[in-house]
Amino acid sequence: SRLDALDEADRSLLQDAAVLGKTFSAEALAVIYGQEQSELEPRLRALTKRELLEISVDPVSPERGQYGFVQSVIREVAYDTLSRRDRRARHLAAARYFEGLGEDELAGVLSTHYLAAFEATDPGPEAGALRIQARLALRGAAERAIELGAADQALHLLQQALEITDDQAERGDLLERAAAAADNEGRYEQAERLGFEAIEAYEAAGDRTGAARMSALQGGILTDASKLAEAADFLEAAMAKTDDLEDESYRADILARLSRARMRLGQATEAIARADEALAIAEPLRLRRVIAEAFVNQGAAMGQLARMQEPAVLLAAAIELASEVGDVALELRARNN
């Protein structure tokens, strides 16, 4: 009833503001409303006096100077009264505004608007194009979340992307990223399930390279979960499928991770041999993360054989390499060993 009491122009203004969320900047609202910010400000202040909106004045808040709905229900009702067509147009305008700002911190906001625009679009070519934009935006937001260590958020974003993705190769990519995020968070059961789903998706798409890359990661996930015998068997089987791959980098990764499984099983001699095989491929190709992985596992295996000087050198090199490539988990393993 409070919204109904407004004139049509102010009600439309609040509907556009509702598209932006619980809080919003006058600049963003001006873009999607299609009016100069200087003309909007007096109307926003009037809506503030009517206690529909409020403005943040907290000097330490990152939202200082932004407007917000006094009550969430006001925003929800204003949004719900928009037609699907209007929602789509306004979410697209918001997405293009935030995209134009080019700020990594806005990746999540951008993905929200592209997804909402897609969901408000009727089936057809336009929906197909928006589906792609939404998927790419969600993947970008997930990557940003992973960089910030927000695995929960990354997994949620990737799940949203999967729900609108039919292509098997694209599903494999999203599932692979989700498996890696779950593994980094120590959610090994979830990571294992996602990893096997990713391999199946790659194989269904005929992407042998993607399947090999994911197989290496899956072996690492199984090892992280201390399923050592299963990891060793899985990696041996995966290695047998890489004989005719043009890109040997994934075979090197599989061998390096197999070395770790063998080392943790106490099979030091075999672990050293597998690490040597990995290094024979990885060194000429300058695969620094794989080289570091092989050094860590080879050094630990040598320690099991009471060889102390050589593994000390290998582990020191592994720490340096892991730090250079930004693999914190691998660096910690090297330092621990």
Side-chain angles (χ1 to χ4, degrees):
S1 63
R2 295 183 67 195
L3 290 170
D4 288 341
L6 298 173
D7 62 37
E8 185 177 346
D10 281 345
R11 189 162 56 249
S12 176
L13 181 61
L14 283 181
Q15 288 174 320
D16 284 6
V19 169
L20 292 169
K22 179 69 165 60
T23 61
F24 56 91
S25 69
E27 179 183 355
L29 180 58
V31 169
I32 70 167
Y33 188 71
Q35 193 172 53
E36 292 295 325
Q37 182 177 341
S38 59
E39 298 174 6
L40 280 186
E41 289 282 5
R43 295 174 60 190
L44 292 172
R45 287 195 293 271
L47 289 168
T48 300
K49 289 180 180 178
R50 298 184 69 164
E51 297 184 348
L52 290 164
L53 298 177
E54 59 187 355
I55 187 168
S56 175
V57 294
D58 185 346
V60 298
S61 172
E63 295 184 345
R64 183 184 184 189
Q66 290 198 350
Y67 289 89
F69 286 88
V70 172
Q71 293 176 304
S72 295
V73 69
I74 296 174
R75 186 237 164 200
E76 292 167 8
V77 173
Y79 185 82
D80 288 343
T81 55
L82 279 169
S83 68
R84 278 170 55 86
R85 182 177 179 179
D86 287 341
R87 286 185 196 179
R88 174 193 164 281
R90 285 156 177 75
H91 279 296
L92 268 180
R96 286 163 184 162
Y97 165 74
F98 289 116
E99 197 167 33
L101 295 178
E103 297 178 8
D104 291 341
E105 290 75 11
L106 297 174
V109 176
L110 179 64
S111 68
T112 297
H113 287 295
Y114 270 128
L115 180 60
F118 164 70
E119 291 174 339
T121 304
D122 294 329
E126 196 169 10
L130 278 174
R131 182 196 297 267
I132 293 171
Q133 285 183 301
R135 176 177 56 79
L136 292 174
L138 286 164
R139 188 178 70 178
E143 289 174 355
R144 180 59 179 165
I146 290 170
E147 289 175 4
L148 297 173
D152 275 341
Q153 184 181 2
L155 287 166
H156 175 68
L157 291 163
L158 290 166
Q159 183 58 48
Q160 287 183 302
L162 283 164
E163 289 171 0
I164 61 171
T165 304
D166 297 324
D167 182 84
Q168 289 295 337
E170 292 171 357
R171 287 186 62 81
D173 173 72
L174 294 169
L175 286 162
E176 180 179 349
R177 294 169 189 272
D183 183 44
N184 288 337
E185 191 69 6
R187 300 179 181 179
Y188 302 129
E189 184 175 341
Q190 182 182 15
E192 183 180 338
R193 174 180 56 78
L194 291 166
F196 280 124
E197 288 181 16
I199 293 170
E200 289 177 4
Y202 281 131
E203 289 177 344
D207 185 351
R208 297 187 64 235
T209 298
R213 183 180 61 249
M214 184 62 233
S215 293
L217 175 59
Q218 186 72 346
I221 290 170
L222 291 169
T223 305
D224 287 341
S226 295
K227 296 183 177 181
L228 304 178
E230 185 177 342
D233 291 343
F234 174 82
L235 288 166
E236 292 282 5
M239 188 175 60
K241 299 177 183 179
T242 63
D243 289 338
D244 58 347
L245 273 181
E246 291 184 6
D247 190 345
E248 287 193 299
S249 61
Y250 305 120
R251 181 177 177 82
D253 196 10
I254 290 171
L255 284 163
R257 294 177 190 267
L258 179 56
S259 173
R260 182 184 176 207
R262 295 296 181 195
M263 177 271 294
R264 289 191 58 189
L265 283 166
Q267 300 166 357
T269 301
E270 189 168 354
I272 293 168
R274 289 306 194 190
D276 273 334
E277 290 180 68
L279 291 166
I281 300 170
E283 288 272 26
L285 296 175
R286 304 293 188 268
L287 305 175
R288 294 187 297 165
R289 196 209 64 77
V290 177
I291 293 169
E293 176 76 39
F295 280 178
V296 172
N297 303 325
Q298 193 172 50
M302 287 178 175
Q304 292 175 353
L305 298 175
R307 294 164 59 180
M308 295 302 166
Q309 292 301 118
E310 188 176 1
V313 174
L314 289 171
L315 291 168
I319 291 168
E320 183 177 350
L321 281 170
S323 177
E324 287 176 4
V325 300
D327 192 326
V328 177
L330 182 56
E331 182 182 353
L332 287 172
R333 278 173 45 209
R335 289 186 178 278
N336 183 62
N337 287 345

